[in-house]
Amino acid sequence: MDQIKNELTHKSKASKQDVRGRTIAFICIAVIMLVVLSILFMITSRGLSTFIQDKVPVSDFFTKTVWNPSAVDANGHYLVGALPMIVGSFSVTILAALLATPFAIATAVFMTEISPKRGQRILQPVIELLVGIPSVVYGFIGLTVVVPLTRQLFGGTGFGILSGTFVLFVMVLPTITSMYIDSLKSVPRFYREASLALGATRWQTISRVVIRASVPGLLTAIVFGMARAFGEALAVQMVIGNAALLPHNLLSPASTLTSVLTTGIGNTVMGTLPNNALWTLALILLVMSLLFNLLTRYIGRKGGLK
Amino acid sequence: MKAKTIDRIATGIIYALVSVVVLILLFLLGFILIKGVPHISWKFLTSPAQAFIAGGGIGDQLFNSFYLLILTLLISFPIALGAGIYLSEYAPKNWVTNLVRITIEVLSSLPSVVVGLFGFLLFVVQFKLGFSIISGAIALTFFNLPLLTRSIENSLSAVPDLQREAGLSLGLSKWKTVTRVIFPIALPGIITGIILSAGRVFGEAAALIFTAGQSAPAINYADWNPFNGTSPLNIFRPAETLAVHIWKINTEGIMPDANQVSAGASAVLVIAVLVFNLLARFIGARLYRKITAGK
Amino acid sequence: MKNYDLTEQSILKLPADTEIVVETKDLQVFYGTNHAMHDASLQFPRYSITALIGASGSGKSTYLRSINRMNDGIARVEGQIMYRDLNLNSKDVDVYQMRRRIGMVFQRPNPFAKSIYENIAFPLREMGIKNKQEIRATVEKSLKQAALWDEVKDDLKRSALSLSGGQQQRLCIARALAMSPDILLLDEPASALDPISSAKLELTLQELKKDYTIIIVTHSMQQASRLSDYTAFFHMGHVIEFDRTQKIFTNPTTRITEDYISGNFG
């Protein structure tokens, strides 16, 4: 009997195994944490050096409109006004989201409320495929189809905010749609039944009951789509024209934070102001991505309370 | 009467908008395939690219894409598996775990260009690896980790607790229960997740242009010693992938057939992603049947 | 629901010469701040079947799962679980070793997604048994003990998931028996089964009583009265009555137990 007692009070192979396994799993998660922290730290410290090391006033960076980091103006100030890119990024993002939202609502409503069967069979694969197409392919099609078309229809070079908007519209559409579908699906069945039982038409039910109940979900989906649009680099860069100028209208060549980054980072020398200024743009991207993240969290919590 | 009219109009509008969405996809696919597929030939798929003259292929780029994909999966899968196991099986329910989840979500929502720039800063500049396959693979790993981790975690969590209790009640360690009992059941979901992530990785370019680089030096396919400079397996050589190639020739390409090459390469890329998607569905369903139904 | 005096208890004092295999002393279970089990003190005699009965939420399953510490990490358990002069509810006890001595079968059959053979052989190998002959012999023996051998002996490579619910549950019992435990804990093992499978299971358990000590949670009073030697009645996290089964079902001591058994409950 003592043998059994002994057995029970000694650490078994299994319990050593468990400690080892737990440690391995923990190390893996720690690696990911470390990666995120290093990204945040390195991009932040690089991005801030424009202000700390090169003494560029923060207000100048965000309000001035001339971007020519390798030159100085008459007073010896660096020409690092990032406003054109900031305006460019926000314009394409907001316009693309505005354009995509009605289509996303219609597609999601169609798939969940009007014709779930056909939606499942035809639209589900359509959405999955649209998500799967790589962004450079969108860029290529933008370059060979959207830009010439814009040029013919509206004049100008064809490169600009409008073309960028069109390309991003197609790219964020599936993101917004698939997220909104999930949110529509979570609206309880009896909401619809109650409404229909009261004699409301299908559209009245959809617009007054279903869509209203899923507003937080829709907002989250749109913010997600915007986050994707804001961070998208190559597809936009290929069609926007890459002129670091404040856009006059939707047709004039412009640039975004990402487009300037992708074209510029290889042509500057580490540690110099032109390079640091680009890292500041990357920092803005990072901060915006965090803000979008916070925003979806905030909407989620608010919506959850209802 | 009025409500009914509005209902009909609204339904009509919805149908119209949905048709536009379907048309857009049909147009995209049609455009890429019709313009690209005729350009695809064995020669196109195997010969090296040309910078100034027509007739260049995508052989090296294609190889680089697959090589990078495999390396990325080799690095990211073990880490994502460990992290997924931790989150689904070990993580206590407290604020620390919450913070960990938020952090992973932050990583997944970072623009890929930012992840690429970080890879550039750390590996290309700091560690002096230069533009190289290994830098690219690690950058893609960062980009791939959060989604893969989440999909593995979800697949594991979907396995009923009954199975965990079965293992534990037999005196198996938690680790053994997870790896030998839970993991095999979750495998179809995990494989589906891996293949879908492979599609994303395969088409990614922004994270690569400053890590794996934008040039494809000649590769000697007869030399499989990974320590030689021109060996296909050398992980320290720069390697332009298919996706980067498409971007590159469209922004600064000067060969006369840039458009056809782009179309052909785009078609290859889209077909590859399509295949990944179909494969994910097919293999997932098949494995699932095999594991649950026995024979 | 009627208001009962939960301190009104009647716990049978077993004769001094009874061999007790496992015993709980003042067992408390907390889920967070919820006190789910109060002062449960029970003794389980060797080679007997004890049924734990009570309404759902009475704490009978919670109690059962505490014995082999399946509540670790889910709930906080206080008090003693004495097994061979050893308090199992202590950090010094290796839960993995302990669970091999105290086997458990759950409400829903939970065979591994492996073959019938592997369901038993895999945990044996993990236990450190490498000898193939020995494993084969144990698989056969435990399947026979669980009265499943005749139904599956020709096709041990078949997936366990292709068995019927009743067969799966007997496989789970066989799997637990293969570890050669002292005690078998069964948590409503028949609740997911049809009446025929359920009857078959009861027969199996009657046979097993000769070699094992069995503690079974059941919601069926018929099952408890047919099957068990002793019965413990739980109510709202308290052990109300423990006695010989015959005594409890014919002449219960406390009013709560009487009401529960006669169906006047609530």
Side-chain angles (χ1 to χ4, degrees):
Chain A
M1 286 302 129
D2 266 350
Q3 189 208 332
I4 290 174
K5 211 168 151 179
N6 216 359
E7 216 177 86
L8 289 191
T9 48
H10 274 78
K11 267 214 177 323
S12 62
K13 207 180 89 195
S15 87
K16 281 176 205 152
Q17 207 171 49
D18 208 34
V19 173
R20 212 179 318 136
R22 196 196 177 88
T23 313
I24 294 171
F26 183 78
I27 289 172
C28 292
I29 205 90
V31 165
I32 301 183
M33 296 297 107
L34 193 72
V35 168
V36 180
L37 288 182
S38 331
I39 293 178
L40 297 183
F41 173 76
M42 287 184 76
I43 306 266
T44 308
S45 62
R46 279 276 163 187
L48 290 179
S49 58
T50 309
F51 307 123
I52 296 166
Q53 202 180 304
D54 302 308
K55 307 266 181 325
V56 173
V58 178
S59 57
D60 280 11
F61 195 87
F62 286 98
T63 54
K64 291 271 166 76
T65 56
V66 182
W67 180 264
N68 189 5
S70 49
V72 288
D73 67 6
N75 304 324
H77 293 308
Y78 293 110
L79 293 167
V80 282
L83 193 63
M85 285 82 89
I86 296 174
V87 170
S89 279
F90 275 100
S91 318
V92 288
T93 302
I94 292 170
L95 290 174
L98 282 179
L99 190 58
T101 301
F103 288 92
I105 295 179
T107 312
V109 165
F110 183 85
M111 282 180 67
T112 54
E113 313 295 325
I114 294 179
S115 181
K117 246 189 211 145
R118 257 186 296 174
Q120 204 61 37
R121 244 206 354 256
I122 304 168
L123 282 176
Q124 187 69 31
V126 166
I127 291 168
E128 278 171 21
L129 273 176
L130 281 174
V131 175
I133 295 179
S135 67
V136 282
V137 175
Y138 280 114
F140 167 62
I141 295 174
L143 197 61
T144 47
V145 179
V146 178
V147 170
L149 201 68
T150 314
R151 182 163 48 219
Q152 273 180 4
L153 290 178
F154 305 103
T157 58
F159 292 97
I161 303 256
L162 192 64
S163 298
T165 302
F166 275 128
V167 170
L168 283 178
F169 151 67
V170 183
M171 294 182 74
V172 298
L173 180 62
T175 312
I176 302 181
T177 308
S178 61
M179 283 195 72
Y180 189 41
I181 287 171
D182 293 340
S183 148
L184 281 180
K185 277 186 183 158
S186 67
V187 175
R189 183 100 266 159
F190 63 83
Y191 277 34
R192 302 174 175 91
E193 281 154 7
S195 170
L196 290 171
L198 289 170
T201 62
R202 184 168 67 186
W203 174 245
Q204 280 172 331
T205 304
I206 292 171
S207 62
R208 293 189 195 158
V209 180
V210 181
I211 294 186
R212 193 157 300 175
S214 61
V215 165
L218 178 62
L219 289 179
T220 313
I222 294 173
V223 173
F224 245 86
M226 287 172 70
R228 186 173 179 203
F230 201 87
E232 174 51 45
L234 302 186
V236 180
Q237 187 259 345
M238 286 159 89
V239 299
I240 197 145
N242 298 310
L245 303 167
L246 208 56
H248 306 291
N249 52 42
L250 296 182
L251 298 169
S252 65
S255 59
T256 63
L257 296 166
T258 49
S259 77
V260 172
L261 263 175
T262 41
T263 43
I265 207 91
N267 304 324
T268 53
V269 180
M270 267 300 186
T272 61
L273 173 82
N275 188 266
N276 289 344
L278 290 175
W279 287 107
T280 310
L281 300 184
L283 178 59
I284 299 176
L285 274 179
L286 184 79
V287 170
M288 280 310 296
S289 148
L290 293 180
L291 281 181
F292 282 126
N293 213 307
L294 274 178
L295 201 56
T296 52
R297 235 159 245 290
Y298 176 76
I299 297 169
R301 198 166 311 150
K302 275 247 153 162
L305 283 178
K306 239 168 70 175
Chain B
M1 256 307 108
K2 203 171 157 249
K4 274 207 173 138
T5 321
I6 294 175
D7 184 73
R8 223 169 288 146
I9 294 171
T11 310
I13 292 175
I14 289 175
Y15 268 87
L17 292 177
V18 170
S19 319
V20 171
V21 173
V22 176
L23 283 178
I24 288 176
L25 178 91
L26 287 180
F27 169 75
L28 285 176
L29 281 185
F31 181 81
I32 296 166
L33 296 180
I34 291 169
K35 280 201 78 172
V37 170
H39 199 73
I40 299 176
S41 63
W42 183 247
K43 184 168 165 286
F44 179 68
L45 292 177
T46 51
S47 58
Q50 295 293 344
F52 308 107
I53 55 168
I58 53 167
D60 296 343
Q61 283 77 10
L62 203 55
F63 176 84
N64 288 341
S65 284
F66 278 109
Y67 191 36
L68 254 170
L69 172 64
I70 290 167
L71 277 181
T72 303
L73 290 180
L74 280 180
I75 305 172
S76 54
F77 176 65
I79 303 177
L81 181 63
I85 288 179
Y86 184 82
L87 286 176
S88 121
E89 311 294 329
Y90 289 108
K93 281 199 179 85
N94 56 22
W95 66 272
V96 181
T97 306
N98 242 338
L99 194 71
V100 168
R101 281 180 209 282
I102 293 175
T103 315
I104 292 179
E105 209 170 295
V106 164
L107 183 56
S108 81
S109 63
L110 283 184
S112 59
V113 59
V114 171
V115 176
L117 285 173
F118 168 73
F120 169 69
L121 207 53
L122 193 63
F123 298 105
V124 178
V125 178
Q126 215 92 318
F127 294 167
K128 300 196 169 55
L129 290 173
F131 291 132
S132 59
I133 290 188
I134 188 69
S135 304
I138 298 175
L140 284 179
T141 295
F142 295 161
F143 162 83
N144 194 24
L145 271 179
L147 280 170
L148 197 54
T149 300
R150 196 184 310 154
S151 97
I152 291 177
E153 184 198 347
N154 290 343
S155 306
L156 290 173
S157 303
V159 177
D161 273 341
L162 281 168
Q163 290 287 329
R164 291 179 181 83
E165 290 184 329
L168 292 179
S169 74
L170 290 165
L172 298 182
S173 67
K174 203 164 184 176
W175 180 249
K176 262 283 140 76
T177 307
V178 173
T179 51
R180 296 292 302 278
V181 179
I182 308 297
F183 177 75
I185 303 178
L187 197 59
I190 292 177
I191 289 187
T192 308
I194 293 176
I195 300 177
L196 285 178
S197 83
R200 262 166 42 93
V201 167
F202 200 77
E204 176 58 32
L208 285 177
I209 51 180
F210 295 115
T211 50
Q214 308 163 30
S215 58
I219 301 172
N220 175 7
Y221 288 100
D223 181 0
W224 292 92
N225 180 350
F227 298 103
N228 292 347
T230 54
S231 161
L233 296 182
N234 186 312
I235 55 170
F236 297 108
R237 65 182 171 89
E240 182 192 43
T241 65
L242 202 53
V244 174
H245 190 59
I246 295 172
W247 173 74
K248 181 92 173 160
I249 51 185
N250 275 294
T251 45
E252 43 196 77
I254 42 174
M255 57 278 236
D257 59 348
N259 236 326
Q260 285 91 306
V261 173
S262 308
S266 295
V268 172
L269 208 55
V270 168
I271 290 170
V273 171
L274 265 174
V275 168
F276 281 127
N277 269 319
L278 290 176
L279 218 58
R281 228 179 259 205
F282 177 72
I283 292 185
R286 217 189 139 103
L287 263 178
Y288 180 78
R289 230 177 302 133
K290 194 168 173 195
I291 285 175
T292 52
K295 283 192 200 173
Chain C
M1 191 180 267
K2 286 182 209 165
N3 266 329
Y4 293 108
D5 178 9
L6 294 174
T7 56
E8 187 194 355
Q9 283 184 334
S10 161
I11 309 291
L12 170 72
K13 193 103 183 77
L14 292 163
D17 61 342
T18 319
E19 193 189 343
I20 305 298
V21 183
V22 67
E23 166 176 18
T24 63
K25 292 180 180 167
D26 297 325
L27 199 77
Q28 322 279 340
V29 184
F30 302 87
Y31 291 108
T33 54
N34 174 22
H35 197 167
M37 176 57 53
H38 303 257
D39 306 306
S41 301
L42 287 173
Q43 298 180 313
F44 300 95
R46 176 166 292 265
Y47 304 139
S48 68
I49 298 182
T50 305
L52 311 183
I53 62 169
S56 49
S58 60
K60 53 193 194 302
S61 280
T62 298
Y63 176 80
L64 189 81
R65 293 167 57 91
S66 298
I67 296 177
N68 69 341
R69 291 184 46 189
M70 287 300 280
N71 279 334
D72 278 20
I74 302 168
R76 188 160 53 85
V77 179
E78 289 173 7
Q80 293 184 318
I81 303 161
M82 298 308 295
Y83 169 75
R84 296 176 189 268
D85 301 329
L86 193 69
N87 179 12
L88 297 182
N89 191 24
S90 126
K91 276 208 160 66
D92 300 332
V93 170
D94 186 283
V95 286
Y96 305 110
Q97 291 292 347
M98 179 269 283
R99 284 179 188 147
R100 285 173 186 158
R101 310 219 56 95
I102 306 181
M104 189 164 205
V105 175
F106 299 83
Q107 211 167 26
R108 305 179 64 91
N110 55 357
F112 298 134
K114 301 175 187 291
S115 71
I116 297 169
Y117 185 82
E118 272 303 303
N119 256 276
I120 301 173
F122 158 62
L124 283 175
R125 278 198 295 269
E126 287 306 317
M127 222 171 117
I129 300 171
K130 295 280 180 270
N131 185 327
K132 275 197 174 160
Q133 250 102 49
E134 191 184 342
I135 291 178
R136 183 162 285 280
T138 313
V139 170
E140 181 176 340
K141 183 177 157 226
S142 46
L143 282 173
K144 278 180 177 157
Q145 279 181 310
L148 189 60
W149 176 252
D150 290 332
E151 292 160 58
V152 300
K153 66 182 173 204
D154 299 322
D155 210 358
L156 292 174
K157 293 268 171 286
R158 212 166 104 196
S159 164
L161 299 176
S162 65
L163 296 172
S164 74
Q167 290 174 321
Q168 288 190 6
Q169 195 61 300
R170 274 178 283 143
L171 177 62
C172 291
I173 291 176
R175 191 174 61 182
L177 294 177
M179 318 300 295
S180 56
D182 270 355
I183 304 163
L184 209 52
L185 308 176
L186 299 129
D187 189 358
E188 301 198 24
S191 67
L193 305 184
D194 61 272
I196 295 170
S197 309
S198 176
K200 230 172 177 173
L201 188 76
E202 278 182 34
L203 273 175
T204 314
L205 293 179
Q206 290 286 12
E207 277 300 306
L208 290 174
K209 192 175 89 171
K210 291 176 195 146
D211 303 301
Y212 302 90
T213 305
I214 295 173
I215 307 175
I216 177 171
V217 165
T218 174
H219 59 227
S220 150
M221 278 185 279
Q222 286 84 347
Q223 191 176 52
S225 64
R226 275 196 305 264
L227 194 62
S228 66
D229 306 297
Y230 298 89
T231 296
F233 172 63
F234 285 70
H235 184 61
M236 293 179 75
H238 292 262
V239 186
I240 303 296
E241 191 158 346
F242 173 73
D243 214 319
R244 296 192 168 278
T245 298
Q246 208 192 352
K247 168 80 168 54
I248 280 212
F249 280 95
T250 52
N251 186 18
T253 313
T254 62
R255 198 163 57 89
I256 318 179
T257 315
E258 189 178 349
D259 282 359
Y260 182 72
I261 286 171
S262 56
N264 286 330
F265 206 54

